[in-house]
Amino acid sequence: MASFETVIPLRGPSGLGLPALRRVIVERSEGLIGEMHQLLSSAAARALTEVRERIEREDLLGCLFQAPSYRRQMMERELRA
């Protein structure tokens, strides 16, 4: 998490390695590095639109990101239709 935080273009530290934030990141991304990158990019964009210079828990939960399992379910549902 620390390496992600160093490359995110926000001025303030987000504390992504803290247990509470790390848990949200791993759960939403399903532990996949590429998905973590997508989640954190989306959360950073949300933080900036909210005029914050750090990612907060609400950004991780409220950003436009869908977990891989959800996207897979939607594709399977579409293929069956």
Side-chain angles (χ1 to χ4, degrees), residues 2-61:
S3 62
F4 277 119
E5 192 156 359
T6 62
V7 297
I8 294 173
L10 299 173
R11 291 186 185 136
S14 299
L16 300 176
L18 296 173
L21 292 181
R22 186 175 57 229
R23 187 175 312 111
V24 172
I25 293 166
V26 171
E27 286 175 2
R28 290 213 62 204
S29 68
E30 298 176 1
L32 301 170
I33 299 290
E35 297 296 330
M36 287 181 195
H37 178 266
Q38 292 296 325
L39 172 61
L40 293 172
S41 294
S42 184
R46 185 178 190 279
L48 289 172
T49 61
E50 297 291 324
V51 195
R52 284 194 301 272
E53 285 292 334
R54 63 188 179 132
I55 295 173
E56 296 180 358
R57 186 174 191 275
E58 64 188 59
D59 299 314
L60 293 167
L61 295 173

Side-chain angles (χ1 to χ4, degrees), residues 61-76:
L61 295 173
C63 66
L64 298 175
F65 174 82
Q66 295 175 336
S69 59
Y70 177 80
R71 295 192 312 263
R72 187 173 38 256
Q73 285 177 340
M74 292 299 103
M75 180 168 299
E76 289 172 356

